[in-house]
Amino acid sequence: MDTEYQKEKAYVTVIAYIKQLVQDGQLEFGGKLPSEREMMATLGLGRNSIREALRTLENMGLLSCVHGKGNYLVNRIGESFSSVFSMLLFLKQSSFDEVQQLRRGLEMQSLLLAVQGADCATAAAQAQWRETLEPLGKLVEDMRQAIGRERVTLDSAFHEALIQCSANRLFAVLQKAVSSLCEAAIENVLTTATDAQWQALVDCHETIYQSLLNRDAQAGIAAIDQHYAQPSPESLLTN
């Protein structure tokens, strides 16, 4: 029987093995890992150690086990983060306000990175930048006319697109993880908002969009601050 030390060592060994497969071009996301039997022969580990290591990777969101077919390399780390954050909220080791602070910080930094990275030195570059931001502008237009549940969908799409402007993949993973914690609260706020409240919120989104177009980080950060200034129904997340 494998000891706990052996299982822990197996986890490190299996991680290194998978990294090497990726580095050598033998494995990519969506690809199938070698069988347990093959890994046992290659790594010199017992079946229990291999399975424990694979189970740990699956819990981390890096592997998907398909019954009867094998193990596949996936990128579901955001789901894993979301589960951890959800447990922290449940155990009252975090709060909805802290989740909102994290979302706001991610969006502010995303806007800064987008503005700093924008190359608008030439007319052609400026045109390309406007084209890159077109999806955000279209979302704002659609939000003006949105009602009910459609508001929730468009708002979520806008915030996701804003994060993507940063070109930071870790930000995107974190954004999805924390946003999933807020879905119920956000839906309640947006679907019960008066038309005036909704239009004021859309104004914030439009200012964010215009600040990116004009590469005005200060105006964008102020708009994000204003967007998150409203009280949030924390009880919806903890009940």
Side-chain angles (χ1 to χ4, degrees):
M1 179 179 294
D2 295 331
T3 65
E4 290 302 316
Y5 173 76
Q6 288 172 322
K7 290 178 180 179
E8 181 178 347
K9 183 179 178 182
Y11 163 72
V12 175
T13 301
V14 173
I15 280 280
Y17 174 61
I18 292 174
K19 284 181 178 179
Q20 191 62 50
L21 290 176
V22 173
Q23 185 175 338
D24 293 343
Q26 300 179 45
L27 182 66
E28 58 185 15
F29 280 125
K32 184 179 179 181
L33 270 68
S35 68
E36 291 180 6
R37 187 181 299 275
E38 289 175 301
M39 283 192 275
M40 288 169 59
T42 301
L43 303 176
L45 297 171
R47 183 179 297 275
N48 288 342
S49 292
I50 292 289
R51 288 183 173 177
E52 186 71 21
L54 294 178
R55 189 177 299 114
T56 300
L57 292 172
E58 185 175 17
N59 291 337
M60 291 172 61
L62 286 169
L63 288 186
S64 175
C65 179
V66 181
H67 183 68
K69 293 186 177 180
N71 298 295
Y72 295 82
L73 186 66
V74 298
N75 186 2
R76 296 177 181 168
I77 298 175
E79 297 175 16
S80 179
F81 282 164
S82 182
S83 297
V84 172
F85 292 152
S86 179
M87 184 59 71
L88 287 174
L89 286 171
F90 179 76
L91 295 173
K92 301 187 183 302
Q93 298 302 301
S94 186
S95 67
F96 185 77
D97 285 341
E98 291 180 348
V99 171
Q100 290 294 75
Q101 289 165 11
L102 178 55
R103 292 183 69 212
R104 178 169 55 185
L106 285 172
E107 292 184 9
M108 286 182 173
Q109 188 60 37
S110 293
L111 187 140
L112 284 172
L113 287 175
V115 169
Q116 292 169 1
D119 178 11
C120 297
T122 65
Q126 291 175 16
Q128 185 176 3
W129 179 237
R130 288 193 296 270
E131 183 178 346
T132 299
L133 297 177
E134 269 184 19
L136 277 173
K138 181 62 166 60
L139 285 169
V140 172
E141 290 179 11
D142 292 343
M143 290 170 79
R144 290 288 180 197
Q145 309 302 322
I147 58 174
R149 188 66 177 75
E150 186 183 12
R151 293 177 175 179
V152 182
T153 302
L154 292 172
D155 179 80
S156 176
F158 182 93
H159 289 278
E160 184 174 340
L162 173 58
I163 294 293
Q164 289 174 349
C165 286
S166 72
N168 187 309
R169 288 170 291 186
L170 289 180
F171 282 7
V173 169
L174 283 173
Q175 189 264 348
K176 287 187 177 182
V178 297
S179 292
S180 66
L181 302 175
C182 311
E183 287 176 350
I186 292 173
E187 181 170 357
N188 180 72
V189 169
L190 298 185
T191 56
T192 60
T194 66
D195 288 342
Q197 290 171 330
W198 171 246
Q199 292 303 323
L201 193 61
V202 178
D203 287 343
C204 289
H205 290 79
E206 182 162 8
T207 301
I208 293 170
Y209 165 62
Q210 291 294 337
S211 74
L212 285 167
L213 274 179
N214 300 326
R215 289 175 295 145
D216 186 345
Q218 186 173 355
I221 287 176
I224 292 173
D225 239 349
Q226 183 180 354
H227 177 283
Y228 283 98
Q230 60 180 329
S232 301
E234 181 172 358
S235 60
L236 290 177
L237 290 178
T238 56
N239 288 345

